[in-house]
Structures are given as C-alpha cells and as structure tokens.
Amino acid sequence: MMRLIFLGAPGAGKGTQAQRVSAKYSLPQVSTGDILRDAVKSNTELGKKAQGFIQKGFLVSDEIILGIVKERLAKDDCQKGYILDGFPRTIIQAQAFNGNLSQSRAKIDYVLNIEVPEDKILERLSGRRVCTKCGEGYHLIFKNPLKENICDKCGSGLYQRKDDQKETIIERLRQYREQTLPLIDYYKKQNVLRTINGDEQIDLISKKIDDLLSGLRA
Ligand code: AMP
C-alpha cells in the first residue's frame, strides 16, 4: 500500500514522475488536470464548468475538485494505493482530504515536493507538448519525439495545451504561489514532506524518488 502526493509548480515535472512511479509500482495516477481535460474534451457538464477556468489559468473551485477526487478514489483500483498528481492545490482541498475524503482516512506516505526555479518553469512549459491520444508528455528542448510532432508510443499527433501559452502560464504560476505554496508548510508540519530538486535530468530525479520509495517498502 502506497499513497503519494506530488506537489510542485506547474511544469515542475509532477506528471512525468508520477507516470513513472505509476508504471513501476502499478499504482493509479490520479491527475485532476487530466480528469478535467478529458471532461472538457467530451464536453460533459463538468467540462463545461471547468473549461473557462483552465483556459485562463485559474484554479477550478474546491467544491468541484473535491467531488472529482472523491469519486475517483472510491474506485476499485485505488483501494491498494494511488498517486495524486495535481491535488491538493489549496489548503481547503488538503484539509478535506485529511478529513473524510479519502476512504478510511488514508494516511499519506509521502508528499513529494518537486522544486524548480521559476525562471526555468517558463521555458519548460512553453516547450511542452502532449500526445492527443495517450497523453504522453514531450518537450521541444528536453524530450523530443523521434519523429517531429508524432508520439513515440502510439503514433498520434502532439499538441500544445492552451494553458501552456505564456499569459496563462504567468497566471498559473501566480495561482500556485498564492494558493498552493502554503501546502509546503502544511505537509512539513505533518512530517510527510520530501523535497526533491526538480532542476535535474528526468532520470536522475526518478532515481532519487525511487530510492525514497524503496525505503518505504522495505
Ligand atoms: P494541471 O494539468 O495539473 O496543470 O491542471 C490544469 C488545470 O486544471 C489547472 O490550471 C486548474 O485550472 C485545473 N486544476 C487541476 N487540478 C486542480 C486542483 N486540484 N484544484 C483546482 N484546479 C485544478
């Protein structure tokens, strides 16, 4: 049983690392951003409500997010652990999660806080590309696909998230500083925070996370 939270600014590499841990430990990666983007794509009620916020770089309301997470964590595949990627993002979300949101008042093993200096974030996010079909992440500088604009894994086309454009990135970073940064202290006090330097090679970061998690399993 392993329950993890990935914390960090947009573009810190939460999704990339969460995906790797998910594959290695066979744990579901619960990304609220992915769930919201799927909802927007399929034009559901949730998607319609969330779309404007996402495109402007604002956070979606706590109420909506808490509903999504509650529903997702109740599913069978989450009963043996999970990785939260992009949740919680506000103190209210964290408190709700600590309260009764997660089944059996789940105790989090680690909150992995991936730290990247802000000037690097802009470069990272503006070069980011995502597969339209399988969601695999790429980067024009750091992780180019073998064939331009084509996903190595499934052969579909890549796209740039609308919220990865400059003005939106600036707003997302502001939201991060104002709403999410306080979570670092919150989890520090609970003794579960582990900070990882995210300004390194992807593989090296994975290795450090792996070392940490293997200690957990032993
Ligand atoms: P992400 O893919 O994690 O960067 O999320 C993309 C966007 O979805 C964010 O900029 C928010 O608008 C919204 N979002 C995702 N997760 C949350 C959350 N936990 N709380 C509020 N909004 C969220």
Side-chain angles (χ1 to χ4, degrees):
M1 172 72 85
M2 210 189 262
R3 297 188 185 101
L4 305 172
I5 290 175
F6 275 91
L7 196 65
K14 299 186 295 293
T16 303
Q17 296 299 337
Q19 204 172 36
R20 290 180 170 209
V21 175
S22 163
K24 174 149 190 190
Y25 294 91
S26 302
L27 288 171
Q29 174 186 1
V30 176
S31 157
T32 41
D34 284 347
I35 294 173
L36 291 169
R37 276 185 292 279
D38 281 348
V40 170
K41 214 157 127 190
S42 20
N43 207 22
T44 62
E45 282 309 307
L46 168 65
K48 285 183 210 158
K49 276 190 212 159
Q51 188 167 27
F53 290 89
I54 298 174
Q55 283 188 7
K56 292 190 191 86
F58 298 151
L59 293 187
V60 171
S61 78
D62 290 327
E63 196 193 344
I64 291 183
I65 296 292
L66 291 171
I68 294 176
V69 173
K70 188 171 183 187
E71 194 179 303
R72 181 65 188 88
L73 294 188
K75 296 210 167 130
D76 280 352
D77 64 334
C78 289
Q79 303 319 305
K80 291 206 172 129
Y82 45 77
I83 304 164
L84 290 170
D85 161 19
F87 173 90
R89 254 178 160 100
T90 65
I91 290 282
I92 291 182
Q93 291 177 16
Q95 284 169 341
F97 180 72
N98 245 6
N100 56 10
L101 186 70
S102 46
Q103 292 210 323
S104 67
R105 296 186 177 249
K107 204 183 151 305
I108 284 293
D109 295 294
Y110 286 133
V111 175
L112 300 167
N113 172 36
I114 308 189
E115 262 185 356
V116 176
E118 218 176 88
D119 56 324
K120 298 272 172 84
I121 293 278
L122 209 65
E123 176 186 57
R124 283 194 181 192
L125 287 177
S126 45
R128 185 155 85 168
R129 297 293 181 272
V130 187
C131 173
T132 43
K133 193 161 174 218
C134 74
E136 181 73 8
Y138 293 90
H139 196 282
L140 298 184
I141 300 169
F142 307 114
K143 190 189 164 195
N144 255 312
L146 296 172
K147 258 196 241 160
E148 196 180 329
N149 254 335
I150 300 291
C151 177
D152 294 343
K153 282 200 170 163
C154 76
S156 304
L158 307 183
Y159 79 109
Q160 180 180 36
R161 281 169 48 171
K162 278 206 180 112
D163 61 346
D164 278 348
Q165 286 158 18
K166 200 168 170 190
E167 311 75 67
T168 319
I169 294 173
I170 290 167
E171 181 56 40
R172 287 164 68 203
L173 286 173
R174 201 162 69 89
Q175 300 270 326
Y176 171 74
R177 278 193 303 271
E178 287 175 5
Q179 312 235 44
T180 311
L181 212 54
L183 292 180
I184 292 184
D185 261 353
Y186 179 86
Y187 285 120
K188 224 183 239 169
K189 285 190 188 125
Q190 295 185 11
N191 248 330
V192 285
L193 192 86
R194 297 293 181 277
T195 294
I196 289 153
N197 178 9
D199 190 16
E200 293 189 289
Q201 296 264 320
I202 297 177
D203 285 343
L204 186 61
I205 302 168
S206 297
K207 166 87 175 59
K208 288 185 181 171
I209 293 174
D210 228 26
D211 289 347
L212 195 70
L213 299 183
S214 57
L216 195 64
R217 297 210 120 192

